[in-house]
């Protein structure tokens, strides 16, 4: 098999499963639907691992070529093509392997849902869309994958489409991403206009250095750097997809979808697309310090302030969701520091432990009969040992515990920001350092409330739950339970749920140790990611301090991030296991701060008032004044009324009597004579 055929098979195998399950699932049944979709993703994952192994061993060559020409207009040619290099190979493995775990997990989680076949079709289509995005070698295909993951996320967030909250959430995601995508499309337009008329990455990157000093006039009388404007517009697209402040507001509401898709969106698809895109475009972003500073500030705000929101959440899935927002902020800060390889390293490690945490949260929800409120949990360790252990490992990876995967990528980000010479690096360093304590606190607050302490579900049988499923089909929905009943106890999930947890826990613990050296300090990304080390020396500085993965882990025991993480864990344990009256007292004393956090900084309300209400008011004005008054009232109906009035007057003048017409003729003659002789009289 030639390489083009191999790459086509990687991309199209999930699509084939999606089409079969989506169009013929009603005929082939549930079992065949999940078999065909899992087989497609498994084949794609196996081939992706083969490709990654070839790059790691130096046996593979970069593939950059067209598959077919899609459109030719004038002098422009738009084609579907693949660029498969080490960056692509890594993303292929992350996307397909996490997706495979989610597919297997879905068998257990969605087993009673009436939309079983439809769900498998959607998640396979999601996988295909992300693969097309990461394999693209041009902006047109990138944009296709970009919009495709947005479309499928819309379908999956609103999967239970009879629930008003789900419809609100997927519409919110759709609208917010349209804002980001508008900026992204404008950036692509500038690339097409100024970079030699080509949208192929290789052509654009080759043309970029010559445009480093070129300016454009966006406002008459002002000059703007072409590359800064282009890069910022491209990053606005990343802000939407990767949920960076202020376009982050859609991601927490994506929890309205089933737990498996929450894991897929947050870990391997969609939200990582923006980080991947900026890393792929490193030859452009390296030419604009302005764009890098914008990226660093946006990431810093997201990393710290979204972490604060995780502290006040009581829904187990929402805690993990705000964790994703914060970690995406860390990745974005790394991009701003020109540590693109570190950002992608964190994408990889985060994909495994975040998928693990989401799927573990789903396992807890199953065990609690679909009660998601952590206040109704506690003491689940002895009832759900596999879920407990894998959740602990995932949480330790998330907070950056030495020798865990998250430690190697997260601490590398902190060090890269510390070594950055950009003007925004001071604020960014404070944000990522403070975020270490915040992350550890909310992560282990969740862990202790769920798995340790009093068995609060004993006193709160079904008192609080979030029903998932179509309300009209409640009796057959997989989420038909309303929390634990008086005689119920939590229970461990079936093997199709716990097996993916175990398999994800392994890379969550180990992959960082073995991958850090080749990915960050070896030749894995050589020739793929571009860094101007003279202007942005962060990676060179942290490379000088690196003496191996083991030494890094040992050295970290004396560093500030380790002690901040330890302090966060200890504080969470003391607050929620030993002295629960303290957080209650803090909440009461700082009620205003708590209210701001619980209302997510009121950004939803601000956006609704300014944009939703403002757009509606503007539309109402144009409708009533422009459409009803001017167009309908004056131009259309007004003209008709004028004609009707005039014709009515003429009609009344037509009496049918000779004397009336004679009188009118005499009056007319007199009027003409008067007009004729009047000047003579006055002369």
């Amino acid at each position: 098999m030639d390489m083009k055929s191999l790459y086509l098979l990687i991309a199209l195998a999930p699509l084939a499963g999606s089409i079969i399950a989506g169009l013929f699932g009603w005929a082939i049944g549930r079992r065949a639907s999940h078999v065909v979709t899992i087989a497609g993703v498994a084949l794609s994952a196996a081939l992706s691992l083969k490709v990654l192994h070839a790059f790691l061993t130096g046996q593979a060559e970069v593939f950059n070529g067209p598959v077919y020409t899609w459109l030719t207009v004038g002098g422009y040619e738009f084609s579907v093509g693949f660029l498969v290099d080490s960056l692509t190979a890594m993303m292929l493995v992350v996307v397909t392997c996490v997706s495979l775990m989610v597919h297997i997990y879905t068998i257990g989680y969605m087993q009673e849902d009436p939309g079983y076949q439809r769900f498998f079709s959607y998640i396979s289509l999601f996988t295909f869309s992300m693969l097309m995005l990461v394999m693209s070698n041009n902006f047109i295909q990138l944009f296709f994958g970009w919009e495709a993951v947005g479309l499928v996320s819309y379908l999956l967030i609103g999967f239970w489409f009879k629930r008003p909250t789900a419809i609100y959430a997927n519409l919110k995601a759709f609208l917010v991403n349209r804002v980001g995508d508008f900026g992204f499309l404008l950036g692509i337009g500038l690339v097409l206009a100024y970079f030699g008329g080509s949208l192929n990455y290789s052509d654009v990157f080759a043309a970029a250095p010559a445009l480093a000093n070129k300016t454009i006039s966006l406002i008459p009388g002002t000059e703007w750097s072409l590359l800064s404007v282009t890069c910022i517009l491209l990053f606005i697209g990343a802000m939407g997809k990767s949920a960076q402040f202020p376009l982050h507001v859609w991601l927490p509401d994506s929890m309205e979808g089933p737990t498996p898709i929450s894991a897929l969106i947050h870990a391997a698809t969609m939200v990582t697309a923006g980080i991947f895109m900026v890393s792929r475009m490193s030859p452009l972003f390296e030419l604009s310090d302005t764009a890098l500073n914008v990226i660093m500030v946006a990431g810093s705000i997201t990393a710290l302030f979204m972490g604060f929101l995780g502290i006040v959440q009581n829904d187990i899935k929402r805690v993990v969701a705000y964790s994703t927002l914060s970690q995406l902020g860390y990745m974005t800060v790394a991009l701003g520091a020109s540590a693109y390889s570190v950002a992608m390293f964190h994408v990889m490690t985060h994909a495994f432990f975040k998928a693990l945490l989401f799927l573990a949260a789903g396992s807890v929800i199953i065990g609690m009969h679909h009660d998601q409120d952590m206040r109704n949990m506690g003491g689940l360790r002895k009832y759900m040992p596999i879920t407990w252990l894998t959740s602990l490992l995932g949480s330790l990876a998330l907070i950056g515990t030495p020798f865990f995967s998250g430690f190697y990528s997260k601490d590398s980000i902190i060090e890269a920001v510390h070594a950055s010479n950009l003007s925004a690096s001071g604020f960014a360093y404070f944000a990522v350092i403070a975020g270490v304590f915040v992350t550890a606190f909310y992560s282990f607050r969740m862990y202790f409330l769920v798995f340790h302490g009093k068995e609060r579900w004993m006193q709160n049988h079904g008192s609080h739950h979030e029903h998932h499923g179509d309300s009209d089909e409640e009796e057959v929905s997989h989420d038909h339970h309303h929390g634990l009943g008086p005689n119920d106890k939590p229970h461990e999930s079936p093997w199709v749920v716990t097996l993916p947890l175990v398999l994800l826990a392994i890379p969550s613990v180990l992959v960082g140790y073995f991958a850090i050296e080749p990915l960050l300090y070896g030749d894995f990304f050589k020739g793929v990611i571009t860094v101007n080390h003279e202007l942005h020396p962060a990676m060179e500085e942290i490379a000088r301090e690196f003496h191996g993965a083991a030494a890094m882990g040992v050295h970290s025991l004396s560093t500030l991030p380790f002690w901040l993480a330890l302090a966060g864990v200890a504080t969470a344990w003391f607050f929620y296991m030993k002295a629960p009256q303290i957080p209650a007292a803090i909440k009461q004393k700082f009620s205003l701060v708590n209210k701001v956090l619980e209302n997510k900084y009121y950004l939803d309300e601000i956006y609704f008032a300014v944009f939703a209400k403002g757009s509606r008011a503007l539309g109402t004005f144009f409708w009533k004044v422009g459409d009803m008054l001017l167009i309908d009232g004056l131009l259309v109906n007004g003209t008709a009324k004028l004609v009707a009035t005039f014709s009515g007057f003429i009609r009344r003048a037509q009496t049918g009597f000779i004397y009336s017409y004679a009188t009118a003729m005499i009056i007319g003659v007199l009027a003409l004579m008067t007009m004729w002789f009047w000047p003579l009289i006055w002369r």
Side-chain angles (χ1 to χ4, degrees), residues 91 95 139 141 199 253 256 274 276 278 286 289 306 376 388 418 431 442 448 499 540 555 577-578 582 612 616 624 655:
M91 285 300 295
V95 172
F139 282 92
Q141 187 177 327
L199 289 174
D253 289 329
E256 290 295 332
F276 168 81
V278 176
E286 278 301 284
D289 280 6
M306 296 306 109
N376 296 339
W388 159 72
H418 187 249
Y442 68 67
F448 288 127
L499 177 62
E540 282 195 338
H555 172 70
M577 292 293 99
K578 292 298 180 182
I582 294 180
R616 187 171 179 178
K624 289 188 174 180
T655 63

Side-chain angles (χ1 to χ4, degrees), residues 571-652:
T571 305
W573 173 80
F574 185 73
F575 275 15
Y576 294 97
M577 292 293 99
K578 292 298 180 182
Q581 70 276 10
I582 294 180
I586 293 174
K587 180 178 179 180
Q588 186 175 6
K589 187 171 183 63
F590 297 96
S591 58
L592 180 61
V593 174
N594 183 73
K595 191 173 182 181
V596 170
L597 293 177
E598 286 185 342
N599 286 279
K600 299 171 286 189
Y601 307 117
Y602 292 98
L603 286 174
D604 283 347
E605 288 77 7
I606 292 170
Y607 287 168
F608 183 77
V610 175
F611 296 107
K613 277 192 172 181
S615 300
R616 187 171 179 178
L618 187 64
T620 301
F621 171 79
F622 284 124
W623 165 49
K624 289 188 174 180
V625 175
D627 192 21
M628 294 182 66
L629 181 63
L630 294 179
I631 297 175
D632 288 345
L634 186 60
L635 296 179
V636 178
N637 296 332
T639 305
K641 286 180 180 178
L642 179 63
V643 172
T645 302
F646 183 73
S647 61
F649 174 77
I650 298 297
R651 187 169 60 251
R652 283 193 297 272

